[in-house]
Amino acid sequence: MKIPLKYNLGSLWVRRVGTLMTALGIGLTVSIAITMMALVNGLDSTFVETGHPNQLIVIRDGALNEVNSYFNRDLFQTVRLLAGIAKDEQGEPMAAGEIIVVINHPRLTGESSNVIVRGTSAMGLKLRPEARLVQGRWFQRGLREIVVSESLSNRFQSMRLGDTLHMSRSDWKVVGVFNAAGTAYDSEILADYEEIAQDWDRPIYTSILLRATDAPAFAQIRQRIADDRRIHLQAVDQKEYFRGQTVSSAGIKALGFFIAMMMGVGSSFAAMNMMYGSIMSRSKEVGTLRALGFSRWSILSSFMVESILLALLGGVLGCLMALPLHGISTGTANFVTFSEILFNFRITPKMLLLGMLFAATVGVFGGGLPALRAARTNLINALRD
Amino acid sequence: MKYSWLLLKNVLRNRRRSLLTITSIAASLFLVTALLTLLWELKNPGQTPESALRLVTRHKVSLFNTLPIAYRGKIARVEGVEAVIGSMWFGGVYKDPSNFFAQFSVDADQFFEVNADMRMPEDQKEAFKKDRTGAIAGKNVAERFGWKIGDKIHLKGALFQFDPELTLRGIYDGGSDDGGSLYFHWDYFNEGINNAGFTGTFAIRARSAEEVPKVAERIDALFENASVPTKTETERAFLLGFLSMMGNIQFLITSICSVVIFTIILVASNTMAMSIRERVREIGVLKALGFRSGQILAMLLGESVVLALAGALLGAFTARWLFASLNLPALTGGFVQKLNVGPGILSLCALIGILVGVLAAGVPAWRASQRPAVEALRRVA
């Protein structure tokens, strides 16, 4: 025989102030756990969603990333003419030689961070169709012009359309603002390759971005570059390259896990306290239930259910408290390129589900011992109380 | 204070409830202590009296631009500079990229004048200076990889096409990086990069702390109109630059701490509300015996403060003990060198405990103390 759920709901309602306080405590725990997950997920998916299939990034052999890489300009011609590289409408091979430099620049809040400036070309833009102009126009050669991502423009000083930014030896004019659909390129400033190489006095390429015609050509180009011992280059799958940068979130992941665990322990004890209090104050009721013929097992499961219900109420509150964070933009250090990476908090249905599961776990831990205690109630003693 | 025995008796009345409350608060305060200590360590990198004398010069644009090593001689002649060395981030790979730790190539000749706060036997210092391919490692790094003096360390260049083969000549402790880096000769590095003759930064020791700001100004003025301009700042400011790069960590940590503290207030006030509700009649009896409202309020508040404070101190001291006994660099892959829970954070935790106690019991205790004895005694608990 099962004790009806109505009984549990009723007893939670009778102690509504205590119920709400405990649920709120669990809710805050859940909301912090979801926040940390949303932070990690936002950062990770920024990297995971960057890149296109069949595109390769060519960097110096042994370099771990574009920022570490550099090679002579003549190598670009060798790579550009490899068979299997896709052609654009004009019949030009789709390969762009690029340079990355880094500037240390103040945010609107005053603290400085490193920002990637990419010297590229019209071909480079073609290979990144996700980068779309939202304001102004693209840069032109010879005019010291830059185009800034929307996220950078909202976060750093003098990066609005029309602003002038001093970089290296020149003043650069912001002539456009772009949006790269939440990819890692949303953390970059774009300019003309020749101008950046000249102004930084670095007549080199740091990387080549290229597109293969299809998957077999992709594998072939990759192999050919690896096999050519004279050029000392390596070609990396563009998607894999960015996926590798998710190591940047390892610290936040560990910190988030630790925080959620400790808060979970704290809330479990709090829920246990509440359940003990609630069960002790109705020992007569429990005795009556036993007298009515409800088994120890149904009493145990009924109180477990009550505790889980209490915790799930907290879980719902936690999800509601965390949801407004979705989409908020923030930034941290990319540990691979050592510069600012911008991303949005991203809450997925899976996270809300995990949050509810986390709450239920707190309910199980908090309710277990008190429910056992209730199930063990001695009928005679309880009714005599 | 006369009634403190009564207060204590009340704390111990429902032992399980008190224990659960204390454990819950302790778990939360353990977390708060860990977070605050982490923030404190991040914001106060390697502070020794020596570090106040150190400055770092880098390229004005960013750390990614290098400086010509020829600047060393010019900086050495600047008034107020006692010693200067070139220091270049090497960023090589030791066996696997996941074995990350800081590696620098440095001018060995004056290295120990600039880093006078590194603790290392004199004979090891000499051995390092003499061996062009020698290296010294911090205690934490050496422990992490099980290195002993005389061991060969092979690094694979990532930023540079150069794979140094080093011999460990010494193990240091302390210093601004708390024993978390490896240093080898800049001369050897320069040879590996075809004598390109550049460095990332210069580390400078000023003659006195008063001269530090002036030295920074003088150095930057010297190169203001050169093709490679510099930015000189104190070592502390330089290191804090890395923290600011990580984004608004301070905001993240302080908001999490506030949420946690708010949660404990909920937990504690729930406990106190339950326990006060159970003894309305008893409080009525005390009143009937002639206890004044103020005394009852103080007693109830005291009870709550004792509970919260016990939890807070338990959490904070557990954190202090645990962080001191764990091998943090190994556990965190070198990210956290140490978490030293100092007296400042311990007192802050105690303060939080008292505050939580007062806030948690405030409303129910006030109500209970104001209730007339007759009404309280009439109540059926």
Side-chain angles (χ1 to χ4, degrees):
Chain A
M1 203 162 38
K2 259 189 68 187
I3 301 172
L5 199 62
K6 221 177 131 190
Y7 167 74
N8 302 113
L9 290 176
S11 61
L12 285 176
W13 177 249
V14 168
R15 294 169 186 79
R16 51 193 171 271
V17 177
T19 300
L20 200 68
M21 282 218 233
T22 313
L24 199 59
I26 297 173
L28 287 168
T29 305
V30 169
S31 75
I32 293 281
I34 294 179
T35 304
M36 297 307 284
M37 282 193 277
L39 200 63
V40 171
N41 180 49
L43 183 53
D44 282 356
S45 41
T46 300
F47 291 122
V48 169
E49 282 164 22
T50 307
H52 297 276
N54 293 342
Q55 289 199 169
L56 286 164
I57 295 179
V58 182
I59 50 176
R60 182 174 58 76
D61 195 18
L64 298 175
N65 53 64
E66 287 181 277
V67 174
N68 285 349
S69 163
Y70 55 89
F71 49 85
N72 284 337
R73 286 216 234 201
D74 47 346
L75 292 181
F76 175 49
Q77 292 309 323
T78 319
V79 171
R80 202 172 96 100
L81 299 174
L82 286 176
I85 293 182
K87 302 270 181 355
D88 68 357
E89 310 85 68
Q90 279 85 42
E92 288 291 313
M94 296 192 78
E98 302 186 327
I99 184 170
I100 274 192
V101 291
V102 177
I103 57 166
N104 194 267
H105 195 75
R107 297 194 187 103
L108 292 178
T109 51
E111 317 127 318
S112 297
S113 185
N114 289 335
V115 178
I116 288 183
V117 182
R118 184 183 294 274
T120 184
S121 56
M123 188 58 82
L125 296 177
K126 250 185 214 171
L127 288 164
R128 294 184 185 85
E130 65 273 25
R132 284 170 204 280
L133 270 184
V134 289
Q135 273 182 308
R137 56 175 175 82
W138 290 111
F139 51 84
Q140 273 172 10
R141 181 172 295 180
L143 297 169
R144 291 283 190 268
E145 291 176 344
I146 53 174
V147 179
V148 179
S149 88
E150 206 172 7
S151 328
L152 281 177
S153 159
N154 289 331
R155 198 169 160 88
F156 283 83
Q157 291 179 15
S158 53
M159 289 199 190
R160 303 249 166 214
L161 185 70
D163 283 354
T164 301
L165 186 66
H166 187 83
M167 301 195 301
S168 190
R169 294 176 215 162
S170 316
D171 285 329
W172 302 70
K173 198 166 163 51
V174 181
V175 297
V177 175
F178 72 94
N179 183 316
T183 62
Y185 295 121
D186 264 329
S187 307
E188 298 186 352
I189 295 174
L190 302 178
D192 179 69
Y193 165 79
E194 296 292 343
E195 287 196 316
I196 296 289
Q198 207 179 66
D199 213 67
W200 262 261
D201 198 17
R202 295 189 70 193
I204 46 111
Y205 286 114
T206 50
S207 58
I208 299 167
L209 179 63
L210 63 85
R211 180 179 299 168
T213 49
D214 49 25
F218 173 84
Q220 237 170 37
I221 296 173
R222 197 174 181 169
Q223 196 56 44
R224 198 161 310 150
I225 290 175
D227 289 346
D228 193 337
R229 295 242 154 243
R230 291 163 306 166
I231 57 176
H232 291 294
L233 295 176
Q234 55 172 333
V236 197
D237 181 340
Q238 192 190 12
K239 289 200 79 80
E240 233 169 70
Y241 173 84
F242 282 102
R243 215 173 294 137
Q245 301 191 6
T246 51
V247 293
S248 298
S249 66
I252 310 176
K253 232 178 258 174
L255 189 68
F257 187 74
F258 171 67
I259 292 171
M261 283 311 291
M262 290 315 296
M263 287 191 75
V265 170
S267 319
S268 294
F269 282 115
M272 206 184 285
N273 219 350
M274 160 83 190
M275 287 307 292
Y276 265 125
S278 143
I279 286 167
M280 300 311 271
S281 67
R282 50 182 149 144
S283 52
K284 248 192 184 144
E285 253 172 71
V286 179
T288 313
L289 285 169
R290 292 274 291 124
L292 285 172
F294 287 101
S295 68
R296 289 182 193 276
W297 173 248
S298 25
I299 289 174
L300 177 77
S301 50
S302 170
F303 282 107
M304 277 305 274
V305 166
E306 188 171 319
S307 168
I308 293 173
L309 275 178
L310 170 71
L312 286 181
L313 175 67
V316 172
L317 287 176
C319 290
L320 290 178
M321 283 188 279
L323 269 177
L325 279 176
H326 181 76
I328 287 181
S329 165
T330 184
T332 187
N334 178 343
F335 287 127
V336 175
T337 60
F338 218 59
S339 35
E340 183 101 339
I341 176 82
L342 301 173
F343 61 97
N344 297 334
F345 279 88
R346 217 182 276 204
I347 298 178
T348 60
K350 191 182 148 205
M351 269 174 222
L352 299 181
L353 203 70
L354 277 175
M356 293 303 283
L357 215 65
F358 183 42
T361 316
V362 169
V364 170
F365 276 109
L369 288 175
L372 211 63
R373 162 92 194 209
R376 285 219 199 100
T377 304
N378 183 307
L379 203 160
I380 310 289
N381 287 349
L383 289 177
R384 196 188 287 149
D385 248 353
Chain B
M1 281 305 110
K2 208 160 87 187
Y3 304 109
S4 49
W5 56 271
L6 186 56
L7 193 155
L8 222 68
K9 266 265 177 319
N10 277 330
V11 170
L12 295 174
R13 164 204 300 256
N14 189 335
R15 285 180 201 196
R16 179 174 48 218
R17 178 185 293 153
S18 302
L19 199 68
L20 286 173
T21 310
I22 290 175
T23 327
S24 175
I25 294 176
S28 305
L29 255 293
F30 175 82
L31 178 60
V32 170
T33 309
L35 291 177
L36 290 180
T37 311
L38 181 67
L39 186 64
W40 195 87
E41 296 282 3
L42 286 172
K43 292 193 74 170
N44 297 280
Q47 269 189 320
T48 62
E50 280 295 320
S51 71
L53 290 176
R54 273 197 294 266
L55 297 123
V56 177
T57 299
R58 64 159 165 93
H59 194 292
K60 198 176 175 183
V61 173
S62 80
L63 255 182
F64 289 82
N65 297 51
T66 53
L67 300 169
I69 196 72
Y71 277 18
R72 189 180 175 203
K74 292 180 185 160
I75 294 174
R77 284 193 295 276
V78 168
E79 199 194 326
V81 172
E82 188 165 301
V84 52
I85 55 167
S87 173
M88 179 78 209
W89 174 265
F90 183 68
V93 174
Y94 176 65
K95 289 185 180 165
D96 188 88
S98 65
N99 288 335
F100 175 82
F101 59 95
Q103 307 138 15
F104 301 89
S105 66
V106 292
D107 286 312
D109 54 348
Q110 286 197 311
F111 180 77
F112 297 105
E113 278 82 64
V114 173
N115 295 291
D117 47 356
M118 275 186 181
R119 291 186 296 277
M120 198 170 136
E122 286 303 321
D123 56 322
Q124 293 184 9
K125 289 183 183 176
E126 284 311 311
F128 169 60
K129 280 194 214 170
K130 269 187 220 140
D131 182 1
R132 257 170 59 82
T133 61
I136 55 170
K139 199 175 115 247
N140 290 332
V141 184
E143 267 172 23
R144 192 167 145 208
F145 300 112
W147 290 337
K148 289 177 299 295
I149 289 173
D151 280 3
K152 299 277 177 211
I153 300 163
H154 291 214
L155 299 177
K156 194 171 166 7
L159 279 72
F160 310 101
Q161 284 169 291
F162 167 52
D163 304 336
E165 299 191 355
L166 307 167
T167 314
L168 193 64
R169 293 298 176 200
I171 295 175
Y172 70 88
D173 194 6
S176 58
D177 60 12
D178 267 314
S181 318
L182 176 137
Y183 299 89
F184 64 99
H185 287 243
W186 181 85
D187 290 335
Y188 180 41
F189 163 76
N190 190 37
E191 190 184 287
I193 56 164
N194 301 321
N195 299 308
F198 59 74
T199 182
T201 60
F202 288 100
I204 295 149
R205 184 191 157 93
R207 217 162 268 146
S208 66
E210 294 74 55
E211 278 191 280
V212 164
K214 275 184 223 132
V215 168
E217 276 170 35
R218 283 179 204 138
I219 294 174
D220 289 345
L222 188 60
F223 302 112
E224 200 179 351
N225 297 313
S227 64
V228 181
T230 60
K231 178 171 178 187
T232 306
E233 53 198 340
T234 59
E235 183 184 68
R236 186 181 145 81
F238 178 76
L239 293 173
L240 282 179
F242 294 104
L243 177 65
S244 89
M245 271 181 51
M246 277 154 68
N248 216 336
I249 297 253
Q250 177 157 7
F251 178 72
L252 183 74
I253 288 183
T254 44
S255 27
I256 289 176
C257 285
S258 333
V259 171
V260 172
I261 292 167
F262 182 67
T263 316
I264 329 174
I265 295 176
L266 285 179
V267 170
S269 60
N270 209 1
T271 308
M272 285 313 290
M274 278 197 279
S275 114
I276 290 172
R277 203 181 310 123
E278 278 170 15
R279 47 181 144 125
V280 170
R281 281 166 67 116
E282 200 181 299
I283 291 167
V285 172
L286 286 178
K287 278 213 147 173
L289 284 173
F291 279 81
R292 285 187 305 275
S293 300
Q295 283 172 309
I296 289 173
L297 180 66
M299 211 137 59
L300 291 174
L301 282 181
E303 189 182 330
S304 169
V305 167
V306 166
L307 274 177
L309 192 61
L313 292 180
L314 180 65
F317 276 94
T318 308
R320 181 188 163 96
W321 167 79
L322 198 66
F323 296 151
S325 44
L326 285 178
N327 185 355
L328 288 169
L331 271 176
T332 61
F335 182 69
V336 180
Q337 295 294 344
K338 61 166 189 190
L339 285 175
N340 192 357
V341 183
I345 289 177
L346 289 176
S347 353
L348 184 62
C349 285
L351 205 69
I352 292 174
I354 294 170
L355 196 76
V356 166
V358 171
L359 285 176
V363 177
W366 172 257
R367 270 213 230 127
S369 68
Q370 295 307 307
R371 193 174 283 129
V374 185
E375 195 197 305
L377 287 170
R378 202 188 288 140
R379 271 261 295 250
V380 186

